[in-house]
Amino acid sequence: MDKILIQGGRRLEGEVAVSGSKNAALPILISALLTAEPCYYQGIPDLVDIHTALKLLSGLGVRVKKEGDSTVAVGQFMLQADHVHKLEAPYDLVKTMRASFLVMGPLLGRFGAARVSTPGGCAIGTRPVNLHLKGLAEMGASIDLVHGYMEAKAKRLRGAKIYLDLPSVGATENLMMAASLAEGTTVIENAAKEPEIEELATVLNKMGAKIHGAGSNIVKIEGVDELHGVSHRVIPDRIEAGSFMVAAALTRGDVRILGARPDHLDAFLLKLKEAGVALTIGADEIRVKGDGKAKSVDITTLPYPGFPTDLQAQMMVLMSVSEGVSVITETIFENRFMHAQELVRMGADIRLEGNRAIVKGVDGLSGAPVMATDLRASVSLVLAGLVAKGKTEITRVYHLDRGYEHIERKLSALGADIQRIKG
Ligand code: UD1
């Protein structure tokens, strides 16, 4: 297993380009199942989760072509679901990446059947899929749990009014895809409003779907008989952008984050400003100048447009070396503080009380061997390593590779002393 070694204390300076959004790319790739026509995508990041999605789709019979093939341009992917011969997502892939569950809606919508493994446990909480299933059942699917697999059938899904008890991102996406090919109109109430939802709706509408209201809490989908091919470039990754911003602020650096979409990062940018971090915001770039110590601020994670849970761990690192005391409340996932104990090993002063972390700013962190436990926790350890005195060695970095494209290359180019030791 690979490790990451960081010699902390370097100030980051320069420019870094944000990659395409992982969380937007995953449902978009999966939406290719909804048509037999070729779909072309640009800006798909080179990440382990993307490789998992492509493996899943290839296993179903989707043809995947990458650059290097004469029909595909540089930086492009082509997916064509014209020979789908299997309607099953196996356990080994769904347990590796829960977003695999998103094939349920499109398979059911287009082929009338799907057999998808239940995801099982997850490091950051139980993460059930009950809302995905409830919505599909309301659209007329019969769903049974058989030997750990959800087996769903429906001659043709029909439009329905669905209320989500929680604004689940995955459930909203799964149901939007299923409803696109259903008979009649579906209304999803209390839908998730994340930019990735709007992005998926844009792609589906380009394919011929009729989706209105995506990005608000009521999404209306008029079912159509078929969808068509599409060409689309995915939006930049707001969480990667936010992670680099924290890196710049922490190292008191000066970094221009190119391609970052400020309109997708409102709550996060306001919190950074409140913490005293100097930001210059352009249309599609953000410059972060971290002069001096940040001020402690309280943070509560919430569904979009609230503060994103996927930036909570990174902010905890900044708060660990800020002036004052910060209370961080996690409301989305039940067990998303596993990075806290590792940060404490590096000298942070963090006390956990249920879903709250009380973070008292200290003068500095010190490098230590630490272990990554999930995707965002792993990047928080990288950030801590950048600002810590001495050497930090991070193990289990496969979590990091699920969601951060070429992170050590990007950070090195900004002046960090970071290297990967191949295991
Ligand atoms: C997506 C993101 C993830 C992000 C999360 C919240 C992807 C691939 N992943 O995950 O990075 O952290 O949104 O912004 O886009 N829930 C239920 N029942 C359900 C579905 C969800 O109770 O059927 C609960 C979950 O346990 C969790 C909360 O709802 O506590 C939010 O989950 P959800 O919005 O579905 O997150 P994901 O789509 O899994």
Side-chain angles (χ1 to χ4, degrees), residues 202-231:
T202 301
V203 172
L204 294 173
N205 283 342
K206 279 191 185 177
M207 293 168 79
K210 292 184 176 163
I211 304 177
H212 310 276
S216 78
N217 59 352
I218 300 184
V219 182
K220 193 170 155 193
I221 308 119
E222 290 172 56
V224 296
D225 289 336
E226 57 174 4
L227 294 176
H228 305 285
V230 67
S231 174

Side-chain angles (χ1 to χ4, degrees), residues 205-349:
N205 283 342
K206 279 191 185 177
M207 293 168 79
K210 292 184 176 163
I211 304 177
H212 310 276
S216 78
N217 59 352
I218 300 184
V219 182
K220 193 170 155 193
I221 308 119
E222 290 172 56
V224 296
D225 289 336
E226 57 174 4
L227 294 176
H228 305 285
V230 67
S231 174
H232 186 79
R233 170 174 292 279
V234 300
I235 48 171
D237 197 306
R238 62 192 169 104
I239 307 301
E240 189 203 17
S243 304
F244 282 120
M245 277 178 238
V246 174
L250 268 173
T251 62
R252 301 185 190 179
D254 183 359
V255 179
R256 285 172 61 206
I257 293 128
L258 309 180
R261 288 267 304 258
D263 54 327
H264 291 167
L265 282 157
D266 269 344
F268 174 73
L269 295 176
L270 288 170
K271 277 293 161 189
L272 278 187
K273 272 191 190 155
E274 200 183 318
V277 177
L279 303 172
T280 313
I281 298 176
D284 64 354
E285 81 164 67
I286 300 172
R287 182 173 178 178
V288 182
K289 257 179 135 172
D291 28 45
K293 229 178 184 191
K295 289 192 290 267
S296 294
V297 291
D298 292 341
I299 293 153
T300 299
T301 65
L302 285 170
Y304 192 84
F307 190 94
T309 173
D310 286 350
L311 284 169
Q312 177 257 105
Q314 298 86 320
M315 256 334 237
M316 191 181 286
V317 181
L318 185 62
M319 292 300 101
S320 294
V321 290
S322 293
E323 193 68 55
V325 178
S326 155
V327 178
I328 301 180
T329 310
E330 171 60 53
T331 75
I332 308 293
F333 291 110
E334 54 196 42
N335 187 27
R336 209 175 202 185
F337 281 147
M338 291 200 302
H339 44 282
Q341 289 316 318
E342 299 301 297
L343 295 176
V344 167
R345 298 192 59 252
M346 297 177 73
D349 182 345

Side-chain angles (χ1 to χ4, degrees), residues 23 127-132 166 168-170 309-310 332-333 336:
N23 286 354
R127 297 183 79 177
V129 285
N130 59 314
L131 300 173
H132 303 231
L166 292 163
S168 156
V169 174
T309 173
D310 286 350
I332 308 293
F333 291 110
R336 209 175 202 185

Side-chain angles (χ1 to χ4, degrees), residues 27-28 31 173 176-177 196-204:
I28 288 175
S31 72
E173 291 167 346
M176 270 183 0
M177 290 192 276
E196 294 76 21
I197 303 283
E198 232 181 308
E199 173 77 348
L200 177 63
T202 301
V203 172
L204 294 173

Side-chain angles (χ1 to χ4, degrees), residues 121-188:
C122 171
I124 59 176
T126 48
R127 297 183 79 177
V129 285
N130 59 314
L131 300 173
H132 303 231
L133 299 174
K134 184 180 105 167
L136 293 170
E138 279 166 21
M139 293 169 76
S142 70
I143 306 173
D144 296 299
L145 174 65
V146 183
H147 303 307
Y149 279 73
M150 287 297 171
E151 295 190 352
K153 282 197 194 82
K155 263 214 174 83
R156 184 168 181 197
L157 294 172
R158 47 171 200 272
K161 196 163 184 175
I162 299 165
Y163 171 77
L164 298 180
D165 299 304
L166 292 163
S168 156
V169 174
T172 306
E173 291 167 346
N174 221 340
L175 296 173
M176 270 183 0
M177 290 192 276
S180 293
L181 288 177
E183 183 159 14
T185 301
T186 299
V187 178
I188 309 174

